[in-house]
Structure formats: C-alpha cells, structure tokens
Amino acid sequence: MYDLIVIGCGGIGSATLHQAALKGWNVLGIEQFGLAHNKGSSHGQTRIIRKAYFEHPSYVPLAEEAFDRWDFLNKRHRTRPDIHPLFEQTGVLQIGLPDSEVIVGVRKSCELHGLQLEEFSADQIMQRLPLLKVESDHVGLFEPEAGFLRVEHCVAAHLAQAKKRGAKFAGETRVQSWTANADSVRVVTDGGNFDARRLAICAGAWSGGHLGDVPLELKVIAKQQNWYQIDRVEQKLVNDFPVVFIEQADGEQFYCLPELDSMGMKVARHTGGRVVDADTLDRNVDDDDLQRNGDFLERHFVHRKHRLVHHHTCMYTMSPDGHFVVDFHPAHRNVAFAAGLSGHGFKFAPVLGHRIVEMLDGGSDPSMDFLSLKRFSK
Ligand SMILES: Cc1cc2nc3c(=O)[nH]c(=O)nc-3n(C[C@H](O)[C@H](O)[C@H](O)COP(=O)(O)OP(=O)(O)OC[C@H]3O[C@@H](n4cnc5c(N)ncnc54)[C@H](O)[C@@H]3O)c2cc1C
C-alpha cells in the first residue's frame, strides 16, 4: 500500500513525485513511456519562465515561488560544473502594441505585484538587439531575471531526486483504469494492479481519459516547435540574446528561445493549432505552421535566410478559459489532479506538485482558488 500513486510522470507528475518523496511518503509514479520522453507536453529543449504574467495576475506569487523551487532543485541536481543548469536567466522581452493582450496583462501584473520591468520603445529594442525588427508603434517590457528552463533535464532531475528519496518509478507502464473508496485507491495497469491511500492524476494530454465523469472540457492542440539556423547579418550567441515573446498587431503570438547548440534558435507559434487526439497525433511537419513561422521570421528578424533544422510536435491541453485546473476529484477527497495547463504550465511544475501533495495531506491554499474546478459551475 503506497501513500500516493501518481499517474503520469511528465512535467507535473515528476514534480509531484519529488514533493511526495521529500515529505517522506512511500510513492509510486506510473508512466506509459520512458523517463523524460518526447511524446507528451514536456519536451523540446526549453520552456520559458517569467513572473510578469500577462495571462492572469494571480499567477505572479506562484511564479515567484516557482523561481525558488527551481533553484532548490537546481542546487541538488547540478553537482558538477559541466552539468548544464536547469534554469538560465537570459531575461524575457515581451513585445506588442500598448493595448495588446500581452502588454496590458504584463503591466497589470507588475502594478498589482510590484514587479519592476524595463520598458523600451521599438527603436531602443532594435538598438540593443540589432537582430530584431520591431514595428514603430510596438513597445517592449523586459524582465531581466526571467529566462528558460531545460525542460527534459528538469523532468529527469525531479525523477532522480524523487528516486534518491525512495520514490518508485514504473516506466513503460500504462494505466488502464482506477477506482477509489474513502481510504484507498486501486490503479489497474498493463503491468499489474497497485494500491495506495491517495492518487494524483497528472496525465497531461491524456487527462480526459482519467477524469471520467469530472465536468471539465479539455481540448488537446498540436503545437510545433521549430529550430532554425539563421544566416545572420550579425552573429548572436546564447546569453547575449534573451527569450523574446511577440504579439503581432493581428493578435498572433510567437516566441523565440536563444540558440543553445547546433540546432539553432527555437521559434514557435503560441496561438492557433489544430485539435488532435493524444494517441493518434501526427508528428510530421505541419506545413501551415511552418509557413506562419517563416513569415514571422521574415517580419521580425534581420537576416539573409533561415533553414529549418529540426522540429518537434508537442501538445497543449486547453481548459475552457486557458487557466489550469488543480483540484480534487469531485467524488473523492483522496484523488487530486492538475489538468488543462493550456500551454503555460511547465514553469509552475514544482509549485503544482507541492500543492497537490499538500491538498492530499489535508492542506489548502486560497491563492490557488482561481484554478479550482468550481469556477466552471458559476
Ligand atoms: C510547444 C510547447 C511549448 C510550451 N512552452 C511553455 C513555456 O514556455 N513555459 C511554460 O511554463 N509552459 C510551456 N508549455 C506548457 C507546458 O510544457 C505544459 O503545460 C506542461 O509541460 C504539461 O505537463 P504535464 O505534466 O501536464 O504533461 P506531460 O508532461 O505530457 O505529462 C503527462 C504524462 O502523463 C503520462 N500518461 C498519460 N496517460 C497515462 C497512462 N494511461 N498511463 C501512464 N502514463 C500516462 C504521459 O505519458 C505523460 O508523460 C509548453 C507546451 C508546449 C507543448
């Protein structure tokens, strides 16, 4: 009998496993694929981490906590200087029209939570980053402490640290179903049955299948991450180029992450995407997405030409309002879940893992109420 079983050991599940192990719980993580695999939502080299949150100001305190929790993990993971840090503080520059969703949202979060950002006009941005082309009526807000996480390394580090504290990991094991009563849960897998006092469902794009009758509509969207080699007018290497997030005048949002190796710079479209099924996802290059990313590069980068070197298809699991859903299963106080992370959840993984474990241990945190299931029944 485990204290906790975690279904899914990707971004959130690996962090939940770690948090439970830190608490001294006897915990089992069950994962249908391998360790830090590339078939879910937590792969593709990097994830942006920032505090100046345009999506909703209530995420800011959670992001502040996330910075500390990643630091805690990094200190334990980075035992030799040749191991890459999990978190690189390159800064994040968010660009848009003054009345765009991004700029208005970032300003609101800064005002409410006293965050200090540097503001630049289009000309100032282009002086500092000559590689960028910015339309004259756009502005930029720069958060110097923000940056990116090495996503697969983060998942692997959470799992390694959890295992160090006694957690068990069952990879290549697919959960078929689960049942619960007041005191225990039983999880049925293709590798046998497992029993525990509590259950955490962290199944990403497969969440719908594990949440059964929970009244929550989730939509899975394919997202392509593209790596380009850019024949630049001026060479720029990692650490002198920040993460850049741009909302264009047409409302389309794109982001770019610095070049880390020979794959080049990562560019992806945050908006749009086709609805898919996680089990039958087509991972081939999406030509429409490629065209849009190419147009974005032409419009915003001073360069001679670009070449696609690599791509990965990933999935956003969208909740109805684009915010996470972290709650108990309505019928079981010993079953909690995090779902619908809507394409911006990775940075919060250690915070969500911590809260899921605390919830299942009888704790509560009012600052998480905006993410509860009950908002949809209003
Ligand atoms: C292209 C892209 C870019 C993104 N950029 C950012 C960003 O810059 N910053 C940010 O904060 N967030 C970002 N996100 C969002 C973030 O990556 C996700 O919200 C987060 O990684 C989701 O974690 P998860 O644990 O819910 O899902 P996953 O990491 O996919 O984990 C779910 C796990 O459950 C397992 N599972 C499911 N069903 C079963 C079963 N039956 N049996 C066993 N195991 C099962 C799956 O195999 C998987 O490993 C991005 C997402 C994508 C796709």
Side-chain angles (χ1 to χ4, degrees):
M1 173 71 86
Y2 288 96
D3 293 318
L4 171 69
I5 290 176
V6 181
I7 299 181
C9 294
I12 313 306
S14 62
T16 305
L17 206 67
H18 182 222
Q19 291 296 330
L22 283 175
K23 216 177 168 70
W25 282 2
N26 179 22
V27 57
L28 168 69
I30 306 179
E31 169 54 54
Q32 62 183 337
F33 303 120
L35 187 151
H37 62 85
N38 61 7
K39 298 186 182 71
S41 303
S42 302
H43 63 277
Q45 203 177 39
T46 47
R47 288 293 182 270
I48 305 169
I49 175 164
R50 59 199 152 90
K51 293 180 190 171
Y53 228 70
F54 70 83
E55 292 89 339
H56 195 302
S58 299
Y59 287 103
V60 175
L62 305 179
E64 287 174 328
E65 183 182 331
F67 273 55
D68 294 339
R69 290 192 180 277
W70 285 117
D71 190 45
F72 174 89
L73 183 67
N74 200 34
K75 286 196 175 106
R76 278 144 193 85
H77 151 85
R78 200 161 181 245
T79 48
R80 294 193 321 260
D82 59 319
I83 299 175
H84 284 307
L86 299 176
F87 182 0
E88 301 271 11
Q89 291 178 292
T90 52
V92 172
L93 176 63
Q94 306 194 64
I95 297 174
L97 285 165
D99 62 352
S100 60
E101 183 196 0
V102 168
I103 298 298
V104 170
V106 168
R107 281 198 206 286
K108 190 171 173 193
S109 279
C110 290
E111 274 163 33
L112 282 171
H113 294 283
L115 300 175
Q116 301 291 329
L117 261 60
E118 293 170 51
E119 177 160 354
F120 299 126
S121 66
D123 280 347
Q124 287 168 325
I125 297 170
M126 291 187 288
Q127 268 163 26
R128 282 164 198 247
L129 300 169
L131 193 62
L132 275 185
K133 283 193 264 183
V134 183
E135 277 152 62
S136 60
D137 49 358
H138 284 50
V139 295
L141 296 171
F142 183 61
E143 183 181 345
E145 286 91 35
F148 64 82
L149 296 158
R150 288 191 164 81
V151 58
E152 292 90 348
H153 293 261
C154 290
V155 174
H158 268 139
L159 290 178
Q161 292 298 318
K163 283 197 221 168
K164 224 182 205 175
R165 299 242 172 192
K168 305 278 183 310
F169 173 70
E172 310 292 343
T173 306
R174 187 165 175 127
V175 172
Q176 288 160 345
S177 62
W178 59 269
T179 49
N181 60 38
D183 308 311
S184 66
V185 297
R186 167 156 291 190
V187 178
V188 177
T189 78
D190 55 10
N193 300 345
F194 300 94
D195 296 315
R197 292 185 179 80
R198 310 165 183 89
L199 179 66
I201 302 173
C202 305
W206 290 264
S207 295
H210 298 285
L211 293 174
D213 48 0
V214 175
L216 172 63
E217 212 173 294
L218 297 172
K219 201 163 63 175
V220 178
I221 288 178
K223 283 286 168 183
Q224 190 162 303
Q225 309 174 81
N226 309 293
W227 284 262
Y228 291 95
Q229 266 176 6
I230 298 182
D231 180 3
R232 291 153 177 182
V233 175
E234 212 182 315
Q235 190 65 27
K236 291 273 171 217
L237 295 171
V238 67
N239 289 343
D240 70 351
F241 200 75
V243 173
V244 179
F245 190 105
I246 299 183
E247 179 172 329
Q248 300 183 157
D250 60 5
E252 289 271 30
Q253 297 171 346
F254 292 85
Y255 57 88
C256 336
L257 283 119
E259 177 173 311
L260 301 188
D261 55 29
S262 57
M263 287 204 314
M265 190 173 74
K266 178 168 131 179
V267 179
R269 180 173 167 235
H270 184 54
T271 37
R274 65 200 148 86
V275 176
V276 295
D277 179 288
D279 281 321
T280 56
L281 175 64
D282 176 0
R283 294 174 194 277
N284 291 313
V285 172
D286 177 331
D287 289 330
D288 174 60
D289 191 79
L290 208 58
Q291 179 68 44
R292 289 170 190 269
N293 278 284
D295 292 348
F296 167 79
L297 281 172
E298 291 296 343
R299 191 172 307 149
H300 293 288
F301 279 81
V302 179
H303 67 293
R304 294 192 191 95
K305 57 179 192 273
H306 55 262
R307 183 171 68 86
L308 182 75
V309 176
H310 187 64
H311 88 281
H312 256 310
T313 305
C314 196
M315 293 173 280
Y316 283 2
T317 307
M318 303 302 297
S319 74
D321 60 6
H323 299 299
F324 316 157
V325 191
V326 184
D327 213 330
F328 291 107
H329 187 286
H332 306 286
R333 291 299 279 188
N334 53 349
V335 179
F337 67 91
L341 300 185
S342 304
H344 58 111
F346 192 83
K347 65 184 79 57
F348 299 100
V351 178
L352 298 184
H354 176 263
R355 295 305 192 279
I356 289 169
V357 170
E358 289 307 308
M359 280 165 65
L360 289 169
D361 199 25
S364 66
D365 174 6
S367 77
M368 298 276 290
D369 281 356
F370 78 112
L371 303 176
S372 75
L373 194 55
K374 66 174 180 284
R375 70 184 190 268
F376 299 117
S377 54
K378 277 180 190 161

